[in-house]
């Protein structure tokens, strides 16, 4: 295989970008095998961790555009993974709730994502994986709006 220029391979931004492409492909393929998408995982995970939420809250929490949240919640509701009901406190807002089937789907997707992590980080020890995750989290937190 042709090697990229060293001035690229010594730049964390380039390495993160290349790894991001590979990680997205692995996750996309893994989720597709369960009939799901990454947005589904984000939404199900947020509902499991934080409880029922409006679609707007899910969009902000999951970093997903509002129109994509509406489409993803619609897909999840069609499959019985979430319930979408009018919010009694706000007439124009829907409240989204995780169902038991949704929790089972989230667990299937967790297993897929665990395998993706193992593939992606295969050359690293458990300690190195924890260190990498901690450092990436710190950098991301630094750049997120407060």
């Amino acid at each position: 295989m042709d090697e990229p220029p060293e001035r690229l391979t010594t730049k964390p931004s380039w390495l993160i970008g290349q790894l991001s492409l590979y990680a997205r492909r692995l996750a996309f393929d893994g989720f597709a095998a369960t009939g799901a998408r990454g947005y589904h995982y984000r939404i199900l995970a947020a509902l499991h961790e934080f409880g029922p939420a409006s679609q707007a809250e899910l969009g902000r929490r999951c970093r997903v555009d509002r129109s994509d949240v509406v489409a993803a919640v619609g897909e999840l509701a069609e499959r019985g993974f979430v319930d979408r009901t009018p919010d009694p406190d706000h007439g124009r807002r829907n409240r989204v709730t995780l169902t038991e089937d949704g929790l089972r789907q989230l667990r299937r997707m967790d297993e897929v994502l665990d395998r993706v992590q193992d593939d992606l980080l295969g050359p690293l020890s458990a300690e190195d994986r924890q260190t990498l995750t901690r450092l990436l989290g710190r950098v991301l937190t630094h750049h997120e709006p407060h």
Side-chain angles (χ1 to χ4, degrees), residues 14-56:
W14 187 83
L15 294 169
I16 289 168
Q18 294 302 297
L19 199 52
S20 175
L21 293 171
Y22 185 69
R24 283 177 183 256
R25 201 168 31 249
L26 287 173
F28 178 87
D29 292 346
F31 286 153
T34 67
R37 298 183 305 126
Y39 285 165
H40 296 164
Y41 183 78
R42 292 183 196 187
I43 290 168
L44 294 174
L47 291 171
H48 182 253
E49 187 168 336
F50 301 108
S54 71
Q55 292 177 161

Side-chain angles (χ1 to χ4, degrees), residues 18-106:
Q18 294 302 297
L19 199 52
S20 175
L21 293 171
Y22 185 69
R24 283 177 183 256
R25 201 168 31 249
L26 287 173
F28 178 87
D29 292 346
F31 286 153
T34 67
R37 298 183 305 126
Y39 285 165
H40 296 164
Y41 183 78
R42 292 183 196 187
I43 290 168
L44 294 174
L47 291 171
H48 182 253
E49 187 168 336
F50 301 108
S54 71
Q55 292 177 161
E57 289 172 291
L58 288 170
R60 287 188 303 272
R61 189 173 294 282
C62 298
R63 315 299 194 273
V64 175
D65 183 77
R66 181 172 294 194
S67 63
D68 292 328
V69 170
V70 171
V73 166
E75 293 163 3
L76 291 167
E78 284 176 20
R79 296 180 65 193
F81 296 151
V82 300
D83 286 327
R84 183 173 46 184
T85 57
D87 186 333
D89 298 328
H90 194 283
R92 294 181 4 211
R93 182 182 303 164
N94 282 322
R95 196 114 185 109
V96 183
T97 307
L98 183 65
T99 65
E100 285 299 315
D101 285 344
L103 181 56
R104 282 190 285 282
Q105 175 69 350
L106 176 60

